[in-house]
């Protein structure tokens, strides 16, 4: 049998990560297991005022992904497909928590495919315990004085507390 030499697969996991949650981290760990390299790409969003600056979001992600040797953290602006092309990524990784995520994710995946047919979107499921978790809810709970313990990494919890005081 002919031995085929497989090209290492670089996957890109894009998002706002404002802030990174344990659900994101769970997906990053799952992605890092099946792809050769995983780039967590933070969107530099011009029209949405984030709670954490790009520098803060990058710092937090670098801290929590430090134990994963094949994971890099980067940021991007403009079209995701342009960024993926520039990084020579073959896969876009996205998490789907519930059926409600699917419609929007499908729309984005199909649009990205239209823009760049060679790029594959791969969906992965986070652990069931994170299926209700979102950065938006984490921000709201922290702002209203609730506990986000167990929902975000400890480093993020600390920064959230400092931010909302
Ligand atoms: O964490 P989020 O906010 O759900 O991530 C959304 C993200 C960053 C994946 C999406 O908004 C995006 O890809 N933005 C970049 C602009 C772009 O390429 N838009 C066309 C998508 S079809």
């Amino acid at each position: 049998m002919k031995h085929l030499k497989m090209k290492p697969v670089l996957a890109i996991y894009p998002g706002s990560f404002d802030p990174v949650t344990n659900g994101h981290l769970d997906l990053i760990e799952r992605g890092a297991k099946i792809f050769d390299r995983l780039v967590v790409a933070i969107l530099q969003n011009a029209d949405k005022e984030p709670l954490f600056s790009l520098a803060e979001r990058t710092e937090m992600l670098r801290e929590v992904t430090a134990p994963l040797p094949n994971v890099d953290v980067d940021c991007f602006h403009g079209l995701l497909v342009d960024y993926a092309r520039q990084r020579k990524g073959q896969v876009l990784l996205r998490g789907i928590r519930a059926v409600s995520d699917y419609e929007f994710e499908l729309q984005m995946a199909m649009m990205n495919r239209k823009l760049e047919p060679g790029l594959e979107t791969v969906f992965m499921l986070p652990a069931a315990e994170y299926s209700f978790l979102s950065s938006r809810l984490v921000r709201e709970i922290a702002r209203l004085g609730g506990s986000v313990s167990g929902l975000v990494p400890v480093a993020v919890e600390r920064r959230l507390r400092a931010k909302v005081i």
Side-chain angles (χ1 to χ4, degrees):
M1 199 176 92
K2 205 169 134 195
H3 287 275
L4 296 172
K5 207 155 174 222
M6 298 283 281
K7 209 166 131 203
V9 178
L10 170 67
I12 293 170
Y13 179 40
S16 306
F17 305 104
D18 185 30
V20 56
T21 67
N22 283 344
H24 293 129
L25 195 54
D26 179 86
L27 214 80
I28 292 169
E29 284 166 356
R30 288 173 198 278
K33 271 190 210 150
I34 62 165
F35 299 114
D36 299 292
R37 274 181 64 210
L38 183 68
V39 175
V40 182
I42 311 169
L43 175 67
Q44 208 172 322
N45 202 338
D47 44 53
K48 215 164 72 181
E49 183 61 43
L51 176 63
F52 290 99
S53 71
L54 185 63
E56 289 173 314
R57 285 179 281 155
T58 306
E59 242 176 73
M60 286 187 278
L61 269 163
R62 290 229 163 101
E63 200 174 326
V64 302
T65 60
L68 304 167
N70 61 337
V71 174
D72 289 327
V73 178
D74 193 11
C75 59
F76 77 103
H77 56 85
L79 279 179
L80 178 57
V81 291
D82 288 340
Y83 172 75
R85 205 177 292 134
Q86 176 208 319
R87 291 291 314 238
K88 298 190 168 43
Q90 301 101 309
V91 168
L92 293 177
L93 173 65
R94 290 288 286 173
I96 290 196
R97 289 163 297 191
V99 176
S100 50
D101 281 338
Y102 181 71
E103 216 166 318
F104 177 58
E105 292 300 330
L106 175 70
Q107 190 183 16
M108 271 207 306
M110 288 312 211
M111 195 55 89
N112 283 330
R113 177 177 281 171
K114 171 96 184 105
L115 295 170
E116 182 54 72
L119 194 59
E120 286 298 335
T121 297
V122 171
F123 295 125
M124 290 183 80
L125 312 175
E129 64 200 278
Y130 303 129
S131 60
F132 58 90
L133 183 52
S134 75
S135 295
R136 187 180 61 79
L137 286 181
V138 163
R139 290 196 301 272
E140 185 168 311
I141 292 163
R143 184 168 51 81
L144 299 173
S147 168
V148 292
S149 168
L151 303 180
V152 294
V154 176
V156 175
E157 208 180 323
R158 221 180 302 119
R159 283 177 188 251
L160 265 171
R161 231 178 282 127
K163 185 70 87 179
V164 295
I165 276 171

